[in-house]
Amino acid sequence: MESKKMYLYPVWLRIWHGVNAICIIMLIVTGVSLHYADMEYPFMSFGLSITLHNIFGVIALISYVIFFAMNRLFLNGLQYRMKLKGLMKRLIDQGKYYMFGYFKGEPKPFPISEENKFNPLQRVSYTVTMYILMPIVIITGIGLLYPEVIMDEVAGVNGIQLTALLHAIMGYFISLFLVIHLYVASVGKHPLKNYKSIVTGYHEHE
Amino acid sequence: MNMKNLIFTLLFFAVAMFQSSFVKAEGEEEKVEMSPENRHCLQCHGNKYYSFYNEVAERTEHKLMNPYFVIDSVSYLQGEHQGHYCTDCHLEDYNTYPHAPELKLEPKISCLLCHDFSAIEEEVSQSVHYEALGDQFHCELCHDPHSNKIVKSNIEELIEYNNSRCLNCHNNIDKYQLLVSHKNPEILKTHSWLPNQTLHFQHVRCIECHTAVNDTAEALHHILPKEQAVRKCVECHSTNSMLSNKLYKYEKAKDPKGGFYNTVILNDSYVIGANRNKYLNNISLLIFALTFGGIFIHIVMRIIKRK
């Protein structure tokens, strides 16, 4: 079959994606190390974890600001907007495809195009991650980097405790997103095809 | 208002007034007043300046009191020794002024004459202070008998009061060099490795890291050499945090439910690693297990379909 190439991912987007990926992986590794810190099973020293977590956290913040600004300036931001009408049906259709249609060799219900880079499941999960989870994890992270700015008490509960809990819960969701994102990227005729796309910028149409 | 209602109203107010005065009397702390004997000493030692009639010069003189000999009467009355006379610890001869010059040469009374601190004494004898100063190091260098008290009100006040005992010398070059000839190390510099330094200084006592870990309260008197002080963050930042056995040893958790480890610390602080939540951990592990399970099934299906 003759393949058609589409240039979907411009250079800035690929650089941002790479930097963000490294930051997220480092933040998850060091974050888990801090959360499960233990005398008997030292995975990474607590001090080193703190330092790395702070450094990659700041880089992730800068990277997020760039992502946010570029999406406002360029058309890429449109990929994160969606019509709510019929969204549930579109999500179910895409879910059914991953669970059943894919194995039967059915065509993709929402083929990739330059205007529509993401299928409905991607569109929702990427939007939730980038515009809800990331801002919360960044704001709570800044709070934990400067704990003196956090309110002492919120509704009778320690402010730092609430901030840390929210930060950890968002961290869990982002980790979950990463796992699913990495796996789903391998779904296709060639498992490495999508990984190649995010490096070269070109998407090969099957 | 008829007479019956008026009587009821008056009775109600009378009972309410009686109750409020009763409650107030019960809630009020017993007021301790300075004894006349102590007032006699504090006439001079309670102020920055003192006056006396110089019989040789035949005039009243006004002099500056040595600031280290000024006793804060408010702190004294709040302290553990509030009910004691000055002469319980100082010689009766101090009642006359000018004090006899040889009084200065008299050794100070030891706390151990009244207190049985044998276990503490044992700990102190192993401490870095005793190693450096020998018999020159005694209780009142840290525990000023004129103001020493046990803070029970809250942890923050306890921490501040406790750390002030250390800083009294370690942050005061004059007091430090009274005991040793070298310059005192700059605490902020020597602790520069500590992340969120201010937060740590406000929420834990110096002795958390600078004393040996032991199950007894006396162990807090075994001050370790700086090389042996706690530097491993995980000693506090883990589920078996030593803070639960030291600072919070005698505290009870305000809210023991909620699935947090070291709940007692949550009364006042939040410590990363020590206050992780069991429920949150289990739920997150379950979600991850389900996700990986789903991915595994999908991979198996892909392999089967490919064949």
Side-chain angles (χ1 to χ4, degrees), chain A residues 2 5 14 36 69 72 88 90 93 101 106 108 111 113 118 127 171 177 187 196 202:
Chain A
E2 200 184 319
K5 273 188 171 182
R14 281 179 281 148
Y36 288 99
R72 297 285 295 179
M88 193 49 82
R90 295 200 296 277
D93 286 349
E106 285 175 10
K108 287 178 181 173
S113 66
F118 308 146
T127 308
F177 169 81
V187 175
K196 222 170 117 186
Y202 286 95

Side-chain angles (χ1 to χ4, degrees), chain B residues 199-216:
Chain B
L199 209 65
H200 276 100
F201 286 171
Q202 283 170 349
H203 291 275
V204 286
R205 298 169 300 181
C206 308
I207 53 174
E208 257 45 274
C209 301
H210 290 277
T211 56
V213 181
N214 197 310
D215 279 343
T216 63

Side-chain angles (χ1 to χ4, degrees), chain B residues 48-254:
Chain B
K48 283 182 185 174
Y49 305 97
Y50 65 103
S51 304
F52 69 101
Y53 185 73
N54 185 337
E55 284 176 358
V56 180
E58 293 183 338
R59 62 167 184 249
T60 300
E61 295 206 20
H62 197 57
K63 294 223 167 187
L64 187 71
M65 174 61 75
N66 179 338
Y68 292 106
F69 295 160
V70 176
I71 304 302
D72 178 359
S73 54
V74 176
S75 303
Y76 186 86
L77 290 175
Q78 288 170 349
E80 288 172 303
H81 294 122
Q82 53 177 218
H84 286 268
Y85 300 129
C86 304
T87 48
D88 284 349
C89 300
H90 300 282
L91 292 173
E92 291 268 357
D93 299 349
Y94 275 109
N95 274 327
T96 53
Y97 190 85
H99 302 316
E102 60 270 22
L103 282 177
K104 276 192 176 176
L105 304 174
E106 288 278 338
K108 282 180 184 170
I109 192 170
S110 165
C111 304
L112 304 176
L113 279 178
C114 296
H115 298 277
D116 176 19
F117 285 152
S118 46
I120 291 176
E121 215 186 343
E122 175 68 28
E123 295 283 351
V124 170
S125 68
Q126 296 170 38
S127 86
V128 68
H129 288 136
Y130 192 83
E131 275 173 29
L133 304 168
D135 287 334
Q136 251 193 301
F137 187 74
H138 32 74
C139 309
E140 64 262 34
L141 284 176
C142 302
H143 306 275
D144 182 353
H146 304 105
S147 60
N148 196 61
K149 61 182 178 182
I150 295 170
V151 179
K152 290 178 184 164
S153 53
N154 65 59
I155 287 276
E156 260 176 51
E157 205 183 309
L158 167 77
I159 292 165
E160 196 186 341
Y161 181 70
N162 216 292
N163 287 351
S164 71
R165 283 180 181 150
C166 308
L167 296 174
N168 201 21
C169 289
H170 286 274
N171 202 25
N172 182 331
I173 182 87
D174 296 335
K175 283 202 169 183
Y176 192 85
Q177 291 202 319
L178 187 68
L179 300 165
V180 285
S181 53
H182 61 263
K183 237 181 133 184
N184 55 343
E186 286 177 49
I187 288 168
L188 296 182
K189 269 190 190 166
T190 52
H191 291 81
S192 61
W193 61 276
L194 196 62
N196 294 111
Q197 203 186 56
T198 316
L199 209 65
H200 276 100
F201 286 171
Q202 283 170 349
H203 291 275
V204 286
R205 298 169 300 181
C206 308
I207 53 174
E208 257 45 274
C209 301
H210 290 277
T211 56
V213 181
N214 197 310
D215 279 343
T216 63
E218 289 79 28
L220 300 178
H221 286 86
H222 181 179
I223 315 290
L224 299 164
K226 64 177 189 296
E227 297 78 20
Q228 289 174 32
V230 169
R231 268 192 90 134
K232 275 190 181 163
C233 314
V234 276
E235 297 213 34
C236 290
H237 291 274
S238 58
T239 45
N240 54 349
S241 175
M242 68 173 190
L243 286 177
S244 288
N245 283 325
K246 278 189 165 180
L247 181 59
Y248 291 93
K249 192 174 178 180
Y250 302 105
E251 288 269 304
K252 274 191 181 165
K254 276 184 201 161

